[in-house]
Amino acid sequence: MVIDMEKYVPYPLYYDDMPIDISFVFESERPAGKHGFMKAAGDHFEFEDGTKARFWGVNFNGGACFPSHEYSEIVAERLAKTGCNIVRFHQLDAEWDCPNIFSYTRGKRIDTTRELDPRSMERLDYLIYCLKEHGIYCYLDMLTYRRYKSGDGVEAAEDMIDSTKYSFNIYDQRMKDLQKEFMHDIWNHFNPYTAFKYKDDPVFVMTEIINESELFSKANFTVEPYTSKFREMFAGWLNERNIDFDAKNCDLSAKDGVLAEFKKEVDRKYFREMRDYMISIGVKIPITGTNWFLCDELTEAHLDMDFMDSHTYFYDWRWNDHLTMLNSLTDQEDCALNPILNERIYGRPFFVSEWDMPWPNPCRCESPLLYAAVGSYQNWSGFAIHTYSYTTHLERLDILGKEILPPCIDGVGYREGVFSVWNDPAKFGLFYHSALITRREDVKPASESVKIKAGENKRDAFHAAAEFKQVGVSFEDGEDAGKPLVNLDSGEVSSTDGQLYRSWTKNYGYINSERTKAVYGRLGKNGKIKLDGLTVTAESDSGVIAISSLTDESLENTNNILLTALCDAVNTDMKWDGEHMLEYGHGPVQIKVMQAEIELKTCGKMRIRSIGPEAQTTGEVSTEYENGILKFKLGEENPGMYYLITRE
């Protein structure tokens, strides 16, 4: 019987520091770029000197890409302490935020988006310099939310909300020329702090041509003259192939048939044209087209690209301050990563530039561990969560989920605070282990792989397969797309080498590698959970317990271990009515303490200290050591979130 006393302790994460510092583990990786430029090498990335590249990090959004110098210094050091080594600069061109890359302040009328604001660029330059010095690489977006002005020479600019809400960029020559001009200007921009032009600085490792836009979903054919232009292009294409089809009156939102073939060709031509242009001006890093995939044709349009990129969210997209999705990743067959398995072209590097299991889901602490483990097992190149924050004024914030920004951005109300992770112990607090799993390959890539032939039913093959074998899709050959790889009736999936396990009937999972072990999900009802060298008996209903060696040695042989454990993180006095949140509450942020008995195989008797939010030792946890097993309880003596286990 589970006895969950729901013990809470204050555990705020402060904007200018972190309780634990693991940057020493990756100290030899400073500065970023020391290994030379990154390139695609088969199914993964490598630097020029042959070093394999793996990334765990965050997105900076909108105005957060242009902070003060003081903030840049603070945030770079803070990210490095958690093990993060990549920042994706996202929405730099978003007019709804300020500064943006075209305008540093509000007030003065600007009638063009053809010039990079020098003040914005100076701040971006210094931020990149600070990140580089701390071993953190950069992923640079090319087009996200650029809103054309009267001086840009774009037809019907006043009728378009944001350019990437439509797909005119993909086939309109004026917009393509403007994008090339932007690419030329930003890649040739000289950073006085690094003494490099962007294109010559190996701190940049990836770029995308256009964010979340293509002709299969975001295409909006309601603005003239673009709708007529597209139909004219389609009619010409049909005529060249002697295909009888009503281009004038057909439904342009179709994702199949001859229209899908046409869209694929136009997308592919656009991606190739932009990629070739960047190469022609001296860009040396891997380039991809866009970062979501809705059909085989869109995936196939990326065959000329250097890598694949995708976005995934475990979220119901209906957030309105009161309604949320409270499910665990262990409650269903798929873990929100399986749907994107078919977006990785077999043998091609794969990166997830946006992911999230947003606040206030009480099970969200599962996601950093599971996603890092699955990504490492699949030999993906890493993850960047969306987002670190939408603002840089973090010193003013002391609760979860309620930023100082307006309640909607670009007409979308769900972003306010929901996606910020910088002060969330239940997600950002687990980044230490995720970074170690990813960057050190604590979870080894799968020794077995499966190539699935593209086809109508290929998603069926990938159900629960992310934790089974390494998988990808091929447009040439491969196994039957309609044949499931995992026996779903068993209610569980295990990796072929025993590193990963998850059950949607028992509702828990684990990571079982030599240097990192973890259990997550609805732990209390499952009694003793046994891994190699670790046994956990939880009293708390659900949550996570993660244990990582902070040396190159295994947990069994190391003298320095980080243990992180919690059930959830909440604001003080948050109020709920079932799944409806009535009040946000106030500071300080509190963690729901994990209560469990632990048996851990170690190299000897070790000392366990509970570490508070300001890195202070808040007390010790009593231990017993017998026959090579260290036994202790979490949640009774000096409860907290972080515990350092060391041999004196």
Side-chain angles (χ1 to χ4, degrees):
M1 175 177 164
V2 177
I3 303 173
D4 192 344
M5 303 303 292
E6 295 195 345
K7 184 183 295 184
Y8 291 84
V9 297
Y11 215 101
L13 295 182
Y14 301 108
Y15 83 99
D16 57 353
D17 207 350
M18 284 295 287
I20 304 294
D21 179 4
I22 68 164
S23 61
F24 69 92
V25 176
F26 305 108
E27 192 170 6
S28 64
E29 295 302 306
R30 298 183 182 186
K34 66 178 295 183
H35 300 294
F37 283 97
M38 194 178 79
K39 60 183 179 180
D43 68 350
H44 62 280
F45 290 130
E46 287 183 0
F47 293 108
E48 284 182 279
D49 65 1
T51 301
K52 189 174 182 178
R54 286 281 201 94
F55 303 100
W56 184 266
V58 300
N59 278 247
F60 284 174
N61 293 64
C65 299
F66 312 100
S68 68
H69 285 205
E70 180 184 15
Y71 178 93
S72 292
E73 294 163 3
I74 289 171
V75 77
E77 183 175 9
R78 187 172 191 257
L79 288 174
K81 285 184 175 182
T82 66
C84 289
N85 69 331
I86 194 166
V87 168
R88 177 180 178 231
F89 294 116
H90 185 42
Q91 302 168 342
L92 301 95
D93 53 4
E95 188 190 39
W96 44 256
D97 214 345
C98 184
N100 62 62
I101 204 163
F102 304 119
S103 177
Y104 181 72
T105 58
R106 295 286 189 204
K108 181 180 179 181
R109 181 180 179 272
I110 299 175
D111 66 355
T112 180
T113 59
R114 298 185 61 185
E115 295 182 5
L116 307 181
D117 190 290
R119 292 169 295 178
S120 295
M121 292 305 300
E122 190 277 333
R123 285 194 167 195
L124 179 61
D125 288 343
Y126 192 73
L127 175 58
I128 290 168
Y129 164 74
C130 292
L131 294 172
K132 182 174 183 176
E133 289 299 296
H134 284 85
I136 300 170
Y137 290 88
C138 301
Y139 181 134
L140 188 62
D141 283 4
M142 290 293 100
L143 179 59
T144 306
Y145 275 107
R146 185 176 184 178
R147 184 171 186 175
Y148 295 113
K149 306 285 187 176
S150 59
D152 290 328
V154 172
E155 291 184 275
E158 67 278 4
D159 296 328
M160 291 182 278
I161 299 174
D162 295 286
S163 65
T164 55
K165 292 294 182 186
Y166 306 89
S167 298
F168 311 142
N169 313 273
I170 293 170
Y171 59 89
D172 180 76
Q173 192 58 52
R174 176 57 181 170
M175 293 188 198
K176 288 196 290 184
D177 289 343
L178 287 172
Q179 186 173 3
K180 289 178 182 177
E181 180 181 70
F182 173 83
M183 290 172 169
H184 175 276
D185 291 349
I186 197 163
W187 286 117
N188 281 288
H189 173 77
F190 180 79
N191 185 336
Y193 300 106
T194 64
F196 283 111
K197 290 182 177 180
Y198 281 17
K199 68 181 181 181
D200 297 324
D201 194 339
V203 72
F204 293 101
V205 287
M206 285 176 274
T207 187
E208 71 194 23
I209 292 164
I210 189 169
N211 176 73
E212 292 187 351
S213 190
E214 25 61 39
L215 292 171
F216 290 90
S217 64
K218 286 285 186 179
N220 186 312
F221 297 106
T222 61
V223 178
E224 289 292 358
Y226 302 103
T227 302
S228 296
K229 283 184 178 182
F230 187 80
R231 290 191 185 278
E232 289 171 9
M233 290 170 56
F234 186 31
W237 183 85
L238 291 168
N239 186 56
E240 290 176 0
R241 290 157 181 76
N242 295 314
I243 299 173
D244 184 17
F245 193 82
D246 188 1
K248 185 177 180 180
N249 299 300
C250 67
D251 178 7
L252 293 181
S253 66
K255 297 182 179 67
D256 55 13
V258 293
L259 182 55
E261 282 297 312
F262 174 65
K263 289 180 177 180
K264 178 184 71 176
E265 286 194 19
V266 177
D267 275 335
R268 187 172 183 178
K269 180 181 177 182
Y270 166 71
F271 295 149
R272 188 166 52 230
E273 180 181 348
M274 293 299 165
R275 176 182 182 271
D276 290 348
Y277 179 76
M278 278 194 274
I279 292 172
S280 75
I281 61 173
V283 176
K284 306 172 182 67
I285 58 176
I287 301 168
T288 194
T290 191
N291 33 37
W292 61 7
F293 301 88
L294 304 150
C295 56
D296 281 347
E297 287 80 6
L298 180 54
T299 304
E300 193 173 3
H302 285 73
L303 286 174
D304 306 306
M305 299 297 103
D306 299 314
F307 71 102
M308 304 298 291
D309 184 342
S310 192
H311 298 165
T312 185
Y313 292 86
F314 189 73
Y315 186 49
D316 64 4
W317 299 104
R318 294 179 295 162
W319 175 255
N320 60 2
D321 283 2
H322 299 294
L323 181 65
T324 186
M325 183 174 178
L326 304 180
N327 296 356
S328 165
L329 290 169
T330 64
D331 290 344
Q332 54 266 303
E333 297 164 357
D334 290 333
C335 60
L337 290 180
N338 292 286
I340 64 173
L341 290 178
N342 65 303
E343 298 162 10
R344 194 254 183 101
I345 295 177
Y346 188 87
R348 194 75 58 89
F350 188 71
F351 185 77
V352 181
S353 63
E354 290 182 27
W355 71 274
D356 207 349
M357 183 178 178
W359 178 92
N361 188 317
C363 304
R364 65 193 183 279
C365 56
E366 305 164 356
S367 57
L369 295 172
L370 176 58
Y371 287 4
V374 170
S376 189
Y377 185 68
Q378 288 293 325
N379 203 27
W380 296 345
S381 296
F383 293 78
I385 197 168
H386 173 90
T387 178
Y388 186 76
S389 177
Y390 274 101
T391 178
T392 61
H393 299 289
L394 305 182
E395 72 280 2
R396 304 179 190 177
L397 307 176
D398 65 351
I399 66 171
L400 301 172
K402 192 72 173 176
E403 289 188 358
I404 56 178
L405 296 177
C408 66
I409 297 173
D410 187 40
V412 183
Y414 58 75
R415 296 183 185 177
E416 186 195 1
V418 177
F419 288 141
S420 277
V421 300
W422 69 272
N423 66 338
D424 188 355
K427 275 192 299 189
F428 196 67
L430 274 298
F431 271 33
Y432 298 115
H433 303 279
S434 298
L436 293 168
I437 288 170
T438 301
R439 297 180 62 184
R440 292 196 311 196
E441 290 192 355
D442 282 6
V443 172
K444 304 300 181 188
S447 58
E448 299 182 39
S449 62
V450 180
K451 184 191 303 184
I452 299 296
K453 180 69 179 294
E456 291 184 5
N457 300 315
K458 68 181 185 303
R459 288 180 181 270
D460 295 338
F462 293 136
H463 279 311
E467 297 134 287
F468 180 49
K469 296 180 180 180
Q470 187 179 159
V471 294
V473 65
S474 170
F475 293 92
E476 298 176 354
D477 55 9
E479 295 193 13
D480 179 11
K483 180 182 178 182
L485 297 176
V486 175
N487 176 17
L488 302 179
D489 292 337
S490 68
E492 61 185 14
V493 59
S494 298
S495 62
T496 55
D497 56 11
Q499 293 185 97
L500 307 180
Y501 171 84
R502 186 171 58 88
S503 171
W504 50 92
T505 55
K506 298 177 183 177
N507 309 113
Y508 83 96
Y510 64 64
I511 300 165
N512 187 25
S513 71
E514 289 188 354
R515 288 188 294 197
T516 292
K517 299 183 188 295
V519 294
Y520 61 89
R522 305 193 187 280
L523 305 178
K525 73 175 189 177
N526 283 286
K528 283 191 176 183
I529 300 174
K530 295 184 178 182
L531 285 65
D532 297 335
L534 172 66
T535 300
V536 174
T537 308
E539 294 180 357
S540 297
D541 177 43
S542 65
V544 300
I545 300 171
I547 307 174
S548 292
S549 169
L550 295 182
T551 71
D552 289 335
E553 299 293 332
S554 67
L555 284 167
E556 183 177 346
N557 296 311
T558 187
N559 57 14
N560 193 13
I561 295 171
L562 172 64
L563 186 154
T564 305
L566 78 163
C567 301
D568 191 10
V570 300
N571 299 322
T572 299
D573 293 333
M574 281 181 68
K575 293 183 180 180
W576 291 81
D577 180 12
E579 294 188 0
H580 291 74
M581 192 182 74
L582 303 178
E583 294 183 19
Y584 278 90
H586 56 83
V589 174
Q590 300 190 62
I591 62 161
K592 183 178 177 182
V593 173
M594 170 59 68
Q595 300 178 79
E597 295 182 4
I598 308 291
E599 299 178 26
L600 178 65
K601 191 173 184 180
T602 62
C603 62
K605 184 173 176 59
M606 304 182 83
R607 187 177 181 185
I608 303 180
R609 297 178 178 90
S610 177
I611 307 300
E614 296 182 35
Q616 73 275 42
T617 298
T618 59
E620 295 203 26
V621 176
S622 299
T623 65
E624 296 179 11
Y625 185 74
E626 186 177 359
N627 299 323
I629 303 297
L630 188 71
K631 297 181 181 180
F632 55 95
K633 289 184 178 182
L634 297 176
E636 292 184 357
E637 291 180 288
N638 305 304
M641 175 176 172
Y642 295 122
Y643 303 86
L644 285 176
I645 306 175
T646 56
R647 187 149 189 210
E648 298 301 301

